[in-house]
Amino acid sequence: MNPLRLDDRDIAILATLSREGRISKTELAARVNLSPTPCWERMKRLEKAGLIRGYRAEIDLTGLGPHVQVFVTVELESHRAESFQLFERTVARMDDITGCWAIGGGYDYLMQVVSADVEAFQTLMDGLLESRAGVRRYFSYIVTKPVKDLPPAMALLRP
């Protein structure tokens, strides 16, 4: 399959939508210097190609009440394909785990967890250990304050 060829306007559309998903089509078109219909057609092409996977609101969790956000590095007991698949299926069913990435280096996975409190986080991790998902060990890092959380700079990712 040939990759979708992107020009500067496509990149501008992606960059704008990654920062402002609720922008009107008319405003988006004006920002990327296109008329609304061609801009809409480009947007639909980017969606169809899978480059735009969805639109969502960015929620300030502090406004909802107390919570804890934790990043967790995980090392599995075994590095067989079945072990990775079992771990990934187990994690997919756990709602508190909001992000999970397979990583290279000393650990196998990096997880992002959002729980009501530290006790709920520990209950989640105890459940993960008891699930026989193959966790050898994990290290947790509690977020004390957000410093930077932005979408990637699209123009920098383009070859």
Side-chain angles (χ1 to χ4, degrees):
M1 182 174 139
N2 291 335
L4 187 63
R5 290 187 180 251
L6 303 176
D7 63 18
D8 289 341
R9 288 207 174 114
D10 292 325
I11 298 298
I13 289 169
L14 292 171
T16 302
L17 289 174
S18 73
R19 290 186 314 270
E20 304 172 64
R22 285 185 55 142
I23 190 171
S24 72
K25 294 175 202 137
T26 306
E27 179 62 24
L28 176 62
R31 295 249 193 108
V32 300
N33 200 24
L34 281 172
S35 60
T37 300
C39 183
W40 175 251
E41 290 169 357
R42 283 175 180 254
M43 229 176 87
K44 286 298 176 194
R45 181 175 57 91
L46 294 168
E47 287 174 357
K48 186 176 180 182
L51 289 172
I52 299 173
R53 295 189 314 203
Y55 302 87
R56 65 182 104 194
E58 186 176 330
I59 308 299
D60 180 4
L61 295 178
T62 57
L64 294 176
H67 69 283
V68 63
Q69 183 174 3
V70 185
F71 285 93
V72 182
T73 56
V74 176
E75 181 182 342
L76 298 184
E77 292 173 351
S78 168
H79 290 114
R80 296 176 37 219
E82 300 84 26
S83 300
F84 291 110
Q85 293 165 1
L86 174 62
F87 177 81
E88 291 171 14
R89 282 193 309 270
T90 302
V91 164
R93 293 188 304 265
M94 303 178 108
D95 291 339
D96 285 14
I97 300 173
T98 58
C100 184
W101 302 268
I103 58 175
Y107 302 103
D108 299 312
Y109 292 94
L110 173 66
M111 299 188 315
Q112 180 180 22
V113 178
V114 178
S115 294
D117 52 33
V118 173
E119 183 179 350
F121 165 73
Q122 191 58 56
T123 300
L124 171 84
M125 294 309 297
D126 290 346
L128 184 59
L129 292 170
E130 292 168 2
S131 72
R132 302 195 190 282
V135 175
R136 173 179 289 165
R137 64 182 176 165
Y138 71 91
F139 296 92
S140 53
Y141 306 90
I142 294 178
V143 174
T144 58
K145 72 176 181 178
V147 176
K148 186 174 183 178
D149 182 18
L150 298 173
M154 299 297 161
L156 297 178
L157 301 177
R158 188 163 174 230

